[in-house]
Amino acid sequence: MADMDTALKDAMQIEGAIGVALVDYSSGMALGVAGGGKDFDLNVAAAGNTDVVRAKLRTMEMLHLNEVIEDILITLDTQYHLIRPLTGRSGKGLFLYLALRKDRANLALARHHMRRIEAELDV
Amino acid sequence: MSETGRQPEIAQPSRLLSQLADAGETGTLYVDGGSSGTVHLIDGRVSCVESPAAPGVGALLTTSGRLAEHTWQAAVQTGAAGHRVGRLLVEQGHLMQSELELCVLGAIYDAAFFVLTTAATSVRFAPGELHWLGRVVEVEVGALERETSRRGRRLDEIFPESSVDHAPVTPVPTPPVQRVVLTAAQWELVVHADGRRTAADLSRLLGRPGYATLQEVRRLSAAGLLRNAGPPSSGGDRGAVDAPPDEGASAVADPDHGVTGPDPVAEGESPTRTRAATRREGGHRRQRDPQPSGPNGAGPVDAVPDDALLGRLRAALKALR
């Protein structure tokens, strides 16, 4: 049963990774998490970021932007948060959420890795 | 199924489940009453939950078009006896392991929301009885309970009115605002809410998780677009048993409830409903064919080539991968 866990552990190998979660967008529940810790509750982050994705999708609907979100980047003082909705065949309604340390992460490389991990999950 | 189970007793499902988990039990917990269902345990961890209010793994995979109905049926027939349906699907290359895990995990939490929120009712535990799906993922009972209560709170944040959860719903004849923006999922719900179907009926029909459907029903109610159509036809039984036979008649009544006139409703509805119906035929769930017998005969006629075309496109795209 390690397949999803493997993908998440893989994401934790990304330079500067703090935590990663695979989130069900309709319920806001983290189906799987890796990393995180006492001061970074990935389950809370998952639920909250569901609202971010929903708000963005709604805005796009209102603007009649008929496009899909590849990823959403949120830049904090010391962290990057990267949200990547899954586009696979039955993966509609899931997104990957990755928190990175800003001083150690390479954003372009991290996005590249996320794309690869998504392909491996193939959901 | 098994007659060897322990005697039925009256208990709160979630409390009994915690006790079984603490004891590290393996077997199946049968829950009767309003939201009946089954919880399957392996060594005190939950491996599968089923509820009539939430589409099962098979319904999710086939209604979405991910698996062909016959592929699923074949796997169930071959693997059920050995409790290895899940493993079989992966071994035969129909599904990725991670895909199956996510689907089962989602279905467990979805069904648990309905089974665990049931008040004290008749429950029975059958020790040693395994689910035919087999061991795919396991969830701790504590995590299941935490998530279930979080989901309950989330639902009330959206709209603190639970009367629309179990009752048949219907679109309001006149929207309360000049301009309405709906997501695709909400549109499908509005189109299929005919005043006879409950949220549970809609989730089965559309192959969408039960909790996700409840959320959208509450959102639409909060927006004043959907309302309780009256008392449930079967005493709060979530309409699991009696709703399907009504579907033939309800389809005729659809245009009366349509918010935007019969034409767009019929066009939006026919392909979706026909597709859902096609996938469901011969499914393990008992479901009468919801034939869209709309007023303009164009719907069903259009829908058939549409479906075939989509099938060909999908096959072609898969070949390219």
Side-chain angles (χ1 to χ4, degrees):
Chain A
M1 73 171 267
D3 231 61
M4 181 177 59
D5 292 340
T6 312
L8 293 177
K9 288 203 180 94
D10 209 15
M12 282 305 290
Q13 299 306 308
I14 296 174
E15 187 67 26
I18 299 167
V20 61
L22 183 59
V23 186
D24 173 23
Y25 155 78
S26 66
S27 65
M29 179 189 65
L31 288 163
V33 295
K38 269 207 310 291
D39 44 355
F40 197 94
D41 189 334
L42 282 165
N43 289 300
V44 174
N49 279 291
T50 301
D51 294 332
V52 174
V53 178
R54 178 169 291 120
K56 185 65 208 172
L57 285 172
R58 199 168 51 229
T59 311
M60 284 167 48
E61 277 156 19
M62 285 156 73
L63 291 170
H64 304 294
L65 289 176
N66 196 14
E67 300 200 31
V68 295
I69 299 174
E70 186 184 334
D71 55 22
I72 299 173
L73 171 68
I74 294 159
T75 310
L76 309 181
D77 287 344
T78 62
Q79 297 180 2
Y80 291 126
H81 291 184
L82 207 53
I83 297 169
R84 186 176 180 87
L86 299 196
T87 53
R89 286 165 292 179
S90 58
K92 278 227 166 94
L94 298 176
F95 66 84
L96 271 167
Y97 170 71
L98 173 71
L100 296 161
R101 280 182 52 176
K102 208 171 165 184
D103 53 350
R104 288 183 48 199
N106 177 331
L107 202 50
L109 215 53
R111 288 185 69 209
H112 175 73
H113 281 305
M114 286 286 266
R115 201 173 298 138
R116 180 181 52 79
I117 289 161
E118 183 197 339
E120 277 169 12
L121 270 170
D122 195 38
V123 281
Chain B
M1 264 198 263
S2 157
E3 300 297 322
T4 59
R6 291 175 195 165
Q7 286 302 308
E9 52 179 309
I10 302 293
Q12 208 174 352
S14 61
R15 184 172 303 171
L16 185 57
L17 195 60
S18 304
Q19 289 167 6
L20 294 168
D22 289 343
E25 292 273 10
T26 297
T28 301
L29 178 70
Y30 291 90
V31 177
D32 296 331
S35 28
S36 55
T38 50
V39 182
H40 304 264
L41 289 165
I42 298 178
D43 301 331
R45 292 157 70 87
V46 176
S47 68
C48 188
V49 186
E50 287 176 322
S51 159
V57 175
L60 291 171
L61 288 171
T62 53
T63 313
S64 66
R66 182 62 190 89
L67 283 188
E69 187 75 47
H70 61 85
T71 310
W72 171 256
Q73 288 298 333
V76 171
Q77 270 162 26
T78 319
H83 312 293
R84 54 194 300 279
V85 173
R87 193 154 20 120
L88 212 60
L89 284 166
V90 175
E91 280 170 5
Q92 293 175 346
H94 295 300
L95 287 177
M96 299 272 295
Q97 173 71 21
S98 53
E99 208 174 358
L100 178 67
E101 282 175 19
L102 287 169
C103 184
V104 174
L105 205 52
I108 287 177
Y109 279 103
D110 193 34
F113 176 74
F114 298 97
V115 177
L116 293 187
T117 48
T118 307
T121 181
S122 170
V123 289
R124 183 174 66 90
F125 183 65
E129 205 176 292
L130 290 176
H131 192 268
W132 42 261
L133 192 62
R135 190 186 281 243
V136 181
V137 284
E138 284 155 25
V139 183
E140 279 173 27
V141 171
L144 216 51
E145 275 169 356
R146 278 194 302 278
E147 176 61 16
T148 295
S149 58
R150 189 191 68 82
R151 288 184 178 205
R153 287 195 305 274
R154 183 89 187 87
L155 223 44
D156 283 341
E157 280 167 21
I158 294 171
F159 189 51
E161 178 56 65
S162 61
S163 72
V164 287
D165 291 0
H166 314 309
V169 285
T170 186
V172 296
T174 316
V177 286
Q178 283 297 311
R179 196 174 129 77
V180 177
V181 179
L182 295 184
T183 65
Q186 290 173 336
W187 171 257
E188 280 188 48
L189 280 180
V190 169
V191 164
H192 291 92
D194 57 1
R196 291 166 187 271
R197 298 189 180 113
T198 62
D201 299 330
L202 288 164
S203 75
R204 275 199 308 278
L205 182 71
L206 303 170
R208 190 99 32 73
Y211 177 74
T213 309
L214 271 191
Q215 275 193 326
E216 295 303 349
V217 164
R218 289 234 193 163
R219 278 196 191 104
L220 289 166
S221 308
L225 298 172
L226 210 59
R227 65 174 168 81
N228 187 335
S233 38
S234 65
D237 194 32
R238 289 172 196 262
V241 182
D242 62 335
D246 290 332
E247 267 165 3
S250 63
V252 182
D254 263 347
D256 297 336
H257 296 294
V259 284
T260 46
D263 265 352
V265 171
E267 285 195 359
E269 157 184 51
S270 302
T272 328
R273 184 184 283 186
T274 312
R275 216 178 305 142
T278 316
R279 298 222 169 87
R280 216 170 277 274
E281 270 167 18
H284 63 295
R285 230 165 263 276
R286 188 168 50 86
Q287 175 99 21
R288 306 266 168 96
D289 190 9
Q291 267 301 327
S293 47
N296 65 347
V301 179
D302 279 343
V304 176
D306 253 17
D307 222 19
L309 180 64
L310 284 173
R312 283 208 302 278
L313 279 172
R314 194 187 304 135
L317 286 171
K318 271 191 188 149
L320 288 174
R321 282 172 76 97

